[in-house]
Amino acid sequence: MRLLILGAGGVGSAVAKIAARRPFLEHVLLADYDLGRAQRAAGAAADPRMAAIRLDASDSAAISRLLTEQRIDAVLGATDPRFTMPIFRAALAAGVHYLDMAMSLSRPHPRDPFSRTGVKLGDEQFALAADWERAGKLALVGIGVEPGLSDVLARYASDHLFSEIDQLGVRDGANLEVLDDHGRPMFAPTFSIWTTIEECLNPPVIWEAGRGWYTTEPFSEPEIFDFPDGIGPVECVNVEHEEVLLMPRWLKAGRVDFKYGLGAEFIGVLRTLHQLGLDSTVPLQVGGVRVSPRDVVAAALPDPAQLGDRMRGKTCAGVWVRGLGLDGRPRSSYLYHVVDNEWSMAEYGCQAVLWQTAVNPVVALELIAGGVWSGAGVLGPEAFDAAPFLDLLAGDYGSPWGISER
């Protein structure tokens, strides 16, 4: 397989390091608007199959030309979601498979944002599903960790553990902390602050059978969820996320929601950014330049990819499934995946959150290259058999998953 990775930030760089260990790839182009960043990521991967190039992720025509000229089989978007659609359209035009970890952006309902959906996450992509089917190519959307692995785990539960599902509740939590130069905890997001602001301050989406998709207030319905492997209880709140837009398309459940263990400090920071208008993506005139407030916030905070040596703890992603087991009796199970930052840094030189996101598209690409996963159209991870994915993740990739009965 000949692969283009578009975006050489924290996740893209982690993808390159993981991909460098997998023999199914013939050639990998690592592209970024900043050529130096792409070159550093390719160099860190230390793989002769990997080359770095400069490419603007907003230029669909340029991406499409490159895909054709380089005989690329699949493109993976590892940029922030502003550039999802240009990459998506370029892959369709060039007739190559497409994968992403963040779907097309939503837009809140103009009059009733906290009860009705507007443009939902992924709507722009699903609108082109018929075009992908006619092209005979696969657009695998939402194949990071959340969305991605959580969707795979939900499909596994539906196929192998439950006869009836009342609720699919994605729960994400961690006990990670970032230490300053004096060894004291400091505020430093472990994932893209641009994306975090987008998903946390938009109205969260919930799906219910008989009602469909609807929205609620940000940070609503707080609950304490006890995460496994020593992480412990974490307060989780409703956040907008792709799983809620994906799972109901392929899996039968009474309710689907997503709750994120942000913590009081992080929620306070996000609310302050919103109150000050610093979450806005609309450029402001500052002296002789125009700059987006959100881009300033992102530039002012530490690069998540450079935090690994300062981080301690574990991160957990998973889905809490409630319903009836195969024996017809009530069952409540949390299917999860934990990554310890100490392990991911020692094994790959990647901090835990970025590695956990990056490993899943590589596993999916390997299944696609081997013909284990196949199809045409715009499909989510739940559209495929989960068992080969989980077997490969736990086996060859050395990262096991677990089930906690509740």
Side-chain angles (χ1 to χ4, degrees):
M1 174 179 280
R2 296 175 65 84
L3 173 67
L4 170 66
I5 303 170
L6 222 173
V11 174
S13 299
V15 168
K17 289 181 178 179
I18 297 166
R21 301 190 184 187
R22 307 309 302 167
F24 74 94
L25 291 163
E26 173 191 342
H27 181 63
V28 179
L29 278 178
L30 188 56
D32 198 278
Y33 186 80
D34 181 342
L35 177 59
R37 183 160 63 175
Q39 290 172 330
R40 289 190 295 274
D47 184 349
R49 298 171 298 170
M50 203 163 291
I53 58 169
R54 184 188 182 280
L55 189 60
D56 184 348
S58 68
D59 189 341
S60 275
I63 299 169
S64 185
R65 284 195 301 272
L66 179 75
L67 294 172
T68 301
E69 292 167 359
Q70 295 292 324
R71 298 178 290 110
I72 297 297
D73 299 302
V75 57
L76 170 64
T79 62
D80 76 52
R82 286 176 292 181
F83 305 109
T84 290
M85 287 310 296
I87 305 170
F88 184 82
R89 292 192 182 99
L92 177 60
V96 306
H97 297 311
Y98 166 92
L99 299 89
D100 67 33
M101 293 165 278
M103 295 167 65
S104 60
L105 291 169
S106 65
R107 293 191 296 277
H109 192 279
R111 295 180 302 279
D112 195 6
F114 301 126
S115 62
R116 299 166 63 187
T117 61
V119 175
K120 301 186 298 301
L121 291 167
D123 274 358
E124 289 185 77
Q125 293 171 293
F126 283 113
L128 297 175
D131 295 335
W132 280 89
E133 290 171 10
R134 282 191 292 270
K137 294 296 178 180
L138 171 63
L140 176 52
V141 296
I143 187 62
V145 59
E146 290 171 339
L149 180 56
S150 54
D151 304 71
V152 172
L153 292 169
R155 171 64 188 265
Y156 184 88
S158 179
D159 286 350
H160 298 284
L161 304 179
F162 286 79
S163 60
E164 182 178 318
I165 294 176
D166 297 326
Q167 183 162 355
L168 293 168
V170 182
R171 298 293 183 267
D172 180 305
N175 61 1
L176 292 167
E177 58 181 6
V178 182
L179 307 179
D180 65 15
D181 292 336
H182 303 287
R184 297 172 302 199
M186 59 181 282
F187 179 81
T190 57
F191 198 73
S192 163
I193 188 61
W194 200 102
T195 303
T196 301
I197 290 172
E198 180 72 20
E199 63 190 24
C200 291
L201 292 179
N202 276 347
V205 181
I206 297 169
W207 187 89
E208 290 183 0
R211 182 175 180 180
W213 287 291
Y214 65 93
T215 56
T216 183
E217 296 273 354
F219 315 123
S220 57
E221 300 180 1
E223 68 178 40
I224 302 297
F225 189 81
D226 192 9
F227 287 90
D229 282 16
I231 295 174
V234 178
E235 184 180 66
C236 298
V237 294
N238 280 323
V239 167
E240 180 191 50
H241 234 250
E242 287 93 338
E243 293 96 322
V244 182
L245 287 311
L246 288 171
M247 289 179 183
R249 298 176 187 268
W250 288 279
L251 304 177
K252 187 176 180 180
R255 176 184 165 101
V256 182
D257 60 24
F258 177 98
K259 292 189 179 183
Y260 197 1
L262 292 169
E265 180 188 28
F266 208 144
I267 291 174
V269 169
L270 291 171
R271 283 180 166 151
T272 299
L273 291 174
H274 180 63
Q275 289 167 352
L276 297 176
L278 295 175
D279 60 325
S280 174
T281 60
V282 178
L284 300 175
Q285 190 73 32
V286 181
V289 299
R290 290 180 63 77
V291 60
S292 156
R294 194 186 300 186
D295 288 338
V296 173
V297 172
L301 288 168
D303 179 357
Q306 305 303 317
L307 293 175
D309 290 333
R310 294 171 174 254
M311 286 170 56
R312 303 290 184 273
K314 301 175 182 178
T315 185
C316 180
V319 59
W320 183 17
V321 189
R322 284 165 282 180
L324 300 179
L326 298 180
D327 59 3
R329 305 169 101 181
R331 181 170 185 172
S332 175
S333 306
Y334 181 58
L335 288 76
Y336 67 92
H337 181 253
V338 170
V339 177
D340 189 323
N341 189 73
E342 183 179 359
W343 175 87
S344 63
M345 286 299 296
E347 285 290 317
Y348 286 89
C350 300
Q351 56 106 317
V353 177
L354 300 181
W355 189 91
Q356 190 183 42
T357 304
V359 68
N360 299 290
V362 184
V363 175
L365 282 163
E366 186 159 350
L367 294 175
I368 293 168
V372 179
W373 278 12
S374 63
V378 180
L379 302 176
E382 5 348 55
F384 301 92
D385 184 3
F389 187 103
L390 296 173
D391 289 346
L392 193 57
L393 177 68
D396 291 3
Y397 287 75
S399 191
W401 58 284
I403 303 176
S404 170
E405 299 299 337
R406 301 283 161 149

